[in-house]
Amino acid sequence: MTQFSKIAFVAARGDTAEAARARLASRYGDAAPEKADVIVALGGDGFMLQTLHQYMTSRIPIYGMNQGTLGFLMNEYREDSLVERLAEAQAATVHPLRMRAVTLNGEQHEALAINEVALLRQTRQTAKLRISIDGRVRVEELVCDGALVATPAGSTAYNLSAHGPVLPLSAGALALTPISAFRPRRWRGALLGRNATVKIDVLETAKRPVSATADFNEVRDVASVEIREAPEIDLILLFDAGHSLEERILSEQFLT
């Protein structure tokens, strides 16, 4: 059981979340995020991702309370007994993906993704991609709307919508998933070890432009993208006892 004496509250824009932040800060105090023992994020999953990105290298645990729509990464919103809930919360450590993208004019861009790195066609023309794993070409030409690499934490998001596999946190794997693949028709993607390096080269770049997005950071007109896990970055999420992130991910596989 961990005691958190200095709590910072951050909230998504909007009357409901901001009013909740004011009430909680008045009741439990409000430390500056950079000096806090724990950050309580009030909003939905999108705001949780923003908060994780903002404090990416701080190693400060983040506990979300849902003031949004879905709230997969959030806990139930309740104002009572917050200190006790935080003390009994279960920690989940996740590692982001590091994307290195090179554009057609040679510019290099780097960004981190907690959910996924996705490549998507920019026009009506399908994309043509060549996929290499650890320096070996595995798919010579994938004709598709795009492709993505997802973390276990992000495997229930865009990856699942693209019919990719749900990955338990303990699996030590990444999901490589095509998006609306036209050829080869029967290729449904691959499970990769967490240490794998994925390189995706864009073919016929002038005719078939492609963008790359790491969560909400987009780079357009890419020529190639390299993706691998960033194991040196620990993101610590807190969940109420009995409602861990591992349990939520497992439960997704049994929804009907």
Side-chain angles (χ1 to χ4, degrees), residues 144-159:
C144 57
D145 281 352
L148 63 84
V149 177
T151 66
S155 67
T156 60
Y158 190 8
N159 173 71

Side-chain angles (χ1 to χ4, degrees), residues 121-249:
R121 63 186 177 99
Q122 292 179 193
T123 68
R124 63 181 179 82
Q125 294 279 5
T126 55
K128 284 189 177 181
L129 309 175
R130 180 171 60 239
I131 300 177
S132 302
I133 311 297
D134 295 329
R136 180 176 175 182
V137 176
R138 294 290 184 177
V139 181
E140 190 67 48
E141 183 179 277
L142 175 65
V143 182
C144 57
D145 281 352
L148 63 84
V149 177
T151 66
S155 67
T156 60
Y158 190 8
N159 173 71
L160 183 58
S161 297
H163 307 292
V166 175
L167 303 177
L169 286 179
S170 57
L174 304 174
L176 170 60
T177 303
I179 302 170
S180 300
F182 177 70
R183 192 171 59 243
R185 291 183 185 276
R186 292 186 174 84
W187 189 63
R188 295 293 181 264
L191 292 176
L192 308 174
R194 62 182 299 181
N195 297 322
T197 298
V198 181
K199 185 182 181 188
I200 303 178
D201 294 297
V202 181
L203 309 177
E204 300 182 20
T205 52
K207 182 180 180 182
R208 305 171 187 271
V210 169
S211 67
T213 303
D215 285 347
F216 39 72
N217 295 304
E218 183 185 32
V219 180
R220 295 181 71 81
D221 298 314
V222 297
S224 66
V225 177
E226 185 177 280
I227 307 156
R228 65 176 305 161
E229 189 183 75
E232 73 279 7
I233 300 177
D234 294 331
L235 299 172
I236 304 169
L237 288 73
L238 299 177
F239 294 91
D240 288 331
H243 299 279
S244 68
L245 183 57
E246 185 80 13
E247 171 59 29
R248 294 178 190 203
I249 292 174

Side-chain angles (χ1 to χ4, degrees), residues 85-96:
R85 289 174 72 187
L86 290 172
E88 296 173 0
Q90 300 175 346
T93 300
V94 301
H95 305 288

